[in-house]
Amino acid sequence: MLTAIKKDGTWMTLPERISANVLAEWRKSANYYCPCCKMEMSIKAGNVRIPHFAHKNNSSCRASSEPESAYHLMGKRKLFQWFLSHGYQVDLEAYFPEIKKRADILATIGGNRYAIEFQCSVIPEVEFIERTRAYQSVGIKPIWILAAKRLKRKSMYEFSLSRFQWLFVSGSWHHPFLWMYCPETNHLSVLKNLTPFSPRTVFAEFTSASLKLLPPSRALPQNSFRFPFLPAWRYKRKDWSLYRVKTARRNDPFFEELYLHHITPATIPIEVGVPVRGMLLIETAPIEWQAWFYMDVFQEKKMGEKIFMANIIHFFKKRSKKGEIKFRPLPLLHEKPPLEYPVGQYIKLLEHMGYISKLEEGVFKVEKEFSLPFTSDQVQMMEKFFYDKHKLMLEKGNIQYNQGEHPYLS
């Protein structure tokens, strides 16, 4: 911790550096206490360690249950100074007794209070959600910033996010983004236009700026109106078709179902595994939940037969209940549509592509069947034809909606 309370009730914040003489004087001149649990604290400092307060004795204090690294201490100090230097009302390590929580930083902006948490270690998902809801319960908006050093970048647009890191996604379903900060470079970074391919793999745009050049008022990322990931998506889908079965667990219900339907991963219809709006709500890979849809609903249908949206939702909820389709918690997102929203977007995309036509509300007619290849040559030919024909539609269907356009496709 960087702050403590003296015996007379005044607060003290430690500077970045303390000379040996001053340190000795501070240690002798006053006793220091934890703002949260009121237990006595001591000043820790040295040639290597960043000056900070620590409980003298073993303590069950919530504020000390999560060890703070030098990286974390440096980060929250620099973020605090960033807000302070731009004239915002800001408190370091603010404690809220009504919810028994201590935020790294409390900033008041435009009449709203924001609890800023710079998170460098992994904490249980339930704790992350509980802290988020606790702040919200007292009218405080939580902003969680991930330590940038934890980001795993695979290529220009491809990143790996753990389930814990997905919790940091903010914004809304049509404009999701993830904050990161590195105190060593003093850069605030953001991942935006998040397009998940699997539970961990995501395509996204990465931008970064120095806090020296970036005022807090301009830190919010702009909405993205482009979808540059389709070539990478196609490559990743081909890779999945060839190698996913090698990492499948024994008796995996998905691959068992493929076998029962006489389908191999390499010959899954080309129309299965395409990006659609809102799919970040679903943790299960798009190629898998769309394959469930194909096997449950579309495979046995012939041209001219009807498909009912009620049946689609029934099977979707059934698979979800069995754990075959899983969802992301995303506690920081606002304006979230229903969890089955991506399925509706997939149906809408198939309608635009001419596979089905709408007869009436919730009722569709099959106009053409999915492309089911039988050889590797057919896979390549059908894949190229499909994406050449529908490239613009797939890109338009996944970029963020334009100003004035309703975010929900009717």
Side-chain angles (χ1 to χ4, degrees), residues 96-360:
F96 309 100
E98 63 270 40
I99 56 174
K100 298 180 180 179
K101 304 295 180 189
R102 175 179 62 89
D104 285 339
I105 300 165
L106 174 67
T108 303
I109 305 172
N112 294 315
R113 293 191 300 167
Y114 297 87
I116 297 152
E117 295 280 9
F118 178 51
Q119 194 65 32
C120 300
S121 60
V122 176
I123 60 175
E125 181 178 309
V126 64
E127 181 179 334
F128 185 102
I129 294 174
E130 190 273 330
R131 287 182 67 86
T132 296
R133 290 176 178 170
Y135 288 134
Q136 294 169 338
S137 71
V138 291
I140 298 172
K141 298 181 179 182
I143 297 177
W144 289 82
I145 301 176
L146 183 68
K149 66 179 181 180
R150 290 193 168 272
L151 179 66
K152 294 182 180 179
R153 189 171 193 170
K154 294 183 175 181
S155 65
M156 181 175 181
Y157 291 126
E158 185 180 341
F159 302 85
S160 178
L161 295 183
S162 66
R163 182 179 171 90
F164 174 69
Q165 291 170 331
W166 269 104
L167 296 173
F168 288 74
V169 174
S170 303
S172 62
W173 68 270
H174 55 81
H175 182 33
F177 54 85
L178 188 155
W179 294 115
M180 292 163 292
Y181 175 64
C182 177
E184 294 170 347
T185 62
N186 201 28
H187 273 65
L188 184 69
S189 306
V190 66
L191 285 182
K192 66 177 185 177
N193 201 3
L194 296 165
T195 307
F197 180 85
S198 72
R200 296 184 71 96
T201 299
V202 61
F203 295 106
E205 295 177 83
F206 177 88
T207 56
S208 183
S210 170
L211 291 192
K212 294 180 179 179
L213 306 175
L214 183 70
S217 60
R218 297 185 61 186
L220 194 68
Q222 294 297 308
N223 208 335
S224 180
F225 294 98
R226 66 194 196 111
F227 186 73
F229 315 133
L230 200 56
W233 181 281
R234 291 176 62 182
Y235 177 84
K236 200 72 179 176
R237 189 195 179 285
K238 292 177 185 177
D239 191 66
W240 184 98
S241 299
L242 294 173
Y243 304 111
R244 174 64 178 87
V245 70
K246 295 181 179 180
T247 60
R249 68 184 187 277
R250 191 174 183 180
N251 300 325
D252 187 307
F254 176 72
F255 289 96
E256 288 186 344
E257 199 79 12
L258 285 180
Y259 176 78
L260 292 174
H261 285 78
H262 308 290
I263 302 171
T264 68
T267 58
I268 286 179
I270 303 302
E271 298 84 356
V272 169
V274 294
V276 295
R277 292 187 188 182
M279 62 186 178
L280 82 162
L281 299 172
I282 303 178
E283 183 178 54
T284 303
I287 195 169
E288 294 188 22
W289 68 256
Q290 290 173 22
W292 282 122
F293 161 78
Y294 172 73
M295 292 184 289
D296 288 339
V297 179
F298 212 93
Q299 187 177 18
E300 299 301 322
K301 295 293 183 180
K302 304 298 181 183
M303 288 180 56
E305 293 186 1
K306 293 181 180 179
I307 290 179
F308 297 89
M309 195 66 189
N311 287 342
I312 295 171
I313 299 302
H314 166 75
F315 282 113
F316 181 75
K317 290 183 176 179
K318 181 181 177 181
R319 296 293 180 187
S320 304
K321 189 174 182 179
K322 293 171 68 175
E324 293 164 344
I325 295 177
K326 299 179 181 180
F327 303 98
R328 292 189 174 91
L330 302 174
L332 301 181
L333 271 194
H334 56 85
E335 301 177 33
K336 286 199 293 187
L339 292 175
E340 59 268 20
Y341 174 81
V343 178
Q345 294 303 288
Y346 185 46
I347 295 299
K348 176 61 70 174
L349 185 63
L350 293 177
E351 183 185 356
H352 286 322
M353 290 177 173
Y355 288 87
I356 56 177
S357 61
K358 188 174 182 179
L359 298 178
E360 57 184 280

Side-chain angles (χ1 to χ4, degrees), residues 4-46:
I5 301 176
K6 296 182 180 180
K7 196 169 186 178
D8 61 4
T10 60
W11 286 69
M12 179 175 182
T13 299
L14 294 174
E16 290 186 60
R17 296 178 180 83
I18 308 175
S19 67
N21 292 338
V22 172
L23 178 61
E25 181 181 340
W26 282 355
R27 283 172 169 165
K28 292 179 181 178
S29 63
N31 294 327
Y32 306 97
Y33 301 89
C34 173
C36 306
C37 69
K38 312 304 180 187
M39 297 299 290
E40 192 170 359
M41 307 187 82
S42 59
I43 302 176
K44 302 289 185 179

